[in-house]
Amino acid sequence: MLPLALLLPLLPLPLIVEPARASLIRIPLRRVYPGLKTLNSLRGWGKPTVPPSLGVPSSGDKPVFVPLSNYMNVQYYGEIGLGTPPQNFSVIFDTGSSNLWVPSIRCHFFSLPCWFHHRYNSKASSSFQPNGTKFAIQYGTGRLDGILSEDKLTIGGVKSASVIFGEALWEPSLVFTLAHFDGILGLGFPILAVGGVQPPLDLLVDQGLLDKPVFSFYLNRDPEAVDGGELVLGGSDPAHYIPPLTFLPVTVPAYWQIHMERVKVGTGLILCAQGCAAILDTGTSLITGPTEEIQALNAAIGGFSLLLGEYLIQCSEIPTLPPISFLLGGVWFNLTAQDYVIQIARGGVRLCLSGFQALDIPPPTGPLWILGDVFLGAHVAVFDRGNLTGGARVGLARASPLPAGPQGGGSAQAQFSGWRPG
């Protein structure tokens, strides 16, 4: 079991902005409105036994940008290619896992999700290299089985990256059938990678295609906007957020885990009063926390309990609901009701869902709060794996209220903080 690290006292860190020395690679997101249904988090909580090795050395000078798509304002995904010529797939860029997998054309006949998604065909790729090692990933909603293969990855215009990825042969879970994505590209730490496979981010750095192991998410929550946001590989785009960035050290380098000092509902209810662990997870739609605290939070905002720890909100009450604030690194990060209530309107029916869901994660991994897309949609997060002289950290800032930056996968100059702990 991976022991929880000691929680460190956190203070806001000064931001030192330097011009980027290379263009960043952007990947745009699409937006889909499927109707009155939601998908639960795919998260399966493993129990790593050995701490990961940090400090991937940077090489090369080509940071990368990836566009994301938005599913009902609670799922974001973007496009990659595998093989030569590239076979395109929509994937969730997931900070809570570390493997890349897509459905295979060789999948089991009774694996229903395969028939509703794009499937990788090794025979159609001139750059395919067989591996054949079996792999299995356990998610909260089911098991995924397949084999490992090697081929070229196309992402944000970069085409020369050689990656080992999973060809899914068996996807028994109904959630994969309903999903608007084909697969998952993990952006967690190497210790989470099933089969000891090197994660895609590490491969891009080692092969000289990224200057540094840094990436950032801008998730556009505006339902009227055409784009769903942007993943930036190799740095961040200051046009996406309102400075400064507040950096927090990663306390357990497996998931992107940080120390949260407190949660406040309006001017009254205090949760996480003695401090608690939190994970920033782009693969989780809502914000989750221990059942007792989430029950108290939803009671304070008038939520009605549903199944699976979810809550309904009266849509007419949204203008009167209190802000909910998270104390991170000595800075309050605020969510308004417009941020934390998910509003769904189809066929004249309007449904409002609380963005807070009860989820008890047992020790030693838990208890934990998961700050998913409801939190990350209101804030830009910069994920920095660190290097040999500095540890991993996460930078947070309020997202810019207006869509910013060039779209469509082109490159653009950007700035990134050069701070490293001494």
Side-chain angles (χ1 to χ4, degrees), residues 22 49 86 213 243 270 356 369:
T49 56
I270 298 294
F356 295 90
W369 285 68

Side-chain angles (χ1 to χ4, degrees), residues 363-376:
T365 305
L368 288 170
W369 285 68
I370 306 177
L371 305 182
D373 296 339
V374 168
F375 179 86
L376 294 171

Side-chain angles (χ1 to χ4, degrees), residues 20-306:
R21 298 180 180 177
S23 59
L24 301 178
I25 300 175
R26 304 173 181 265
I27 306 174
L29 307 177
R30 296 183 305 275
R31 187 179 306 278
V32 177
Y33 294 98
L36 301 178
K37 58 186 176 184
T38 62
L39 296 180
N40 291 322
S41 164
L42 296 177
R43 186 66 50 251
W45 290 92
K47 299 177 176 61
T49 56
V50 182
S53 174
L54 296 183
V56 179
S58 295
S59 59
D61 60 355
K62 298 180 180 178
V64 185
F65 280 69
V66 184
L68 305 175
S69 295
N70 180 1
Y71 174 76
M72 206 193 67
N73 249 355
V74 294
Q75 274 189 10
Y76 293 83
Y77 52 91
E79 189 173 276
I80 64 168
L82 285 169
T84 306
Q87 301 170 41
N88 294 331
F89 300 92
S90 293
V91 297
I92 286 183
F93 296 96
D94 177 22
T95 58
S97 64
S98 299
N99 287 84
L100 167 61
W101 66 265
V102 297
S104 173
I105 199 169
R106 295 180 283 173
C107 66
H108 195 285
F109 180 81
F110 294 106
S111 182
L112 190 60
C114 288
W115 302 105
F116 291 89
H117 294 92
H118 297 99
R119 294 177 289 168
Y120 171 78
N121 184 358
S122 60
K123 294 182 179 180
S125 172
S126 62
S127 51
F128 165 74
Q129 297 292 327
N131 181 297
T133 303
K134 294 182 179 179
F135 81 97
I137 301 177
Q138 181 69 46
Y139 291 101
T141 51
R143 184 180 176 89
L144 176 79
D145 295 271
I147 58 171
L148 297 178
S149 295
E150 183 175 349
D151 213 330
K152 298 295 184 181
L153 171 67
T154 299
I155 182 169
V158 172
K159 299 179 180 179
S160 58
S162 180
V163 297
I164 295 177
F165 65 98
E167 290 190 54
L169 303 179
W170 177 242
E171 300 175 57
S173 175
L174 179 62
V175 72
F176 291 120
T177 304
L178 299 175
H180 284 258
F181 58 88
D182 301 311
I184 293 177
L185 189 151
L187 291 168
F189 288 83
I191 193 173
L192 296 183
V194 172
V197 173
Q198 192 174 18
L201 181 71
D202 300 66
L203 286 167
L204 290 172
V205 173
D206 286 354
Q207 294 176 30
L209 301 172
L210 282 182
D211 181 45
K212 46 185 174 272
V214 177
F215 59 94
S216 58
F217 278 89
Y218 164 66
L219 306 181
N220 192 343
R221 304 292 280 186
D222 180 1
E224 303 301 323
V226 175
D227 67 290
E230 190 169 66
L231 164 63
V232 180
L233 298 178
S236 65
D237 185 346
H240 286 159
Y241 60 83
I242 302 170
L245 286 165
T246 297
F247 281 95
L248 304 97
V250 171
T251 55
V252 178
Y255 305 102
W256 288 89
Q257 183 170 324
I258 58 175
H259 177 55
M260 185 161 66
E261 294 143 79
R262 201 177 313 155
V263 178
K264 182 171 62 174
V265 182
T267 58
L269 180 63
I270 298 294
L271 305 171
C272 179
Q274 304 302 316
C276 54
I279 285 174
L280 295 161
D281 187 3
T282 58
T284 295
S285 300
L286 308 180
I287 296 173
T288 76
T291 295
E292 185 176 345
E293 295 199 290
I294 293 299
Q295 285 177 342
L297 185 154
N298 278 298
I301 62 174
F304 299 92
S305 180
L306 296 174

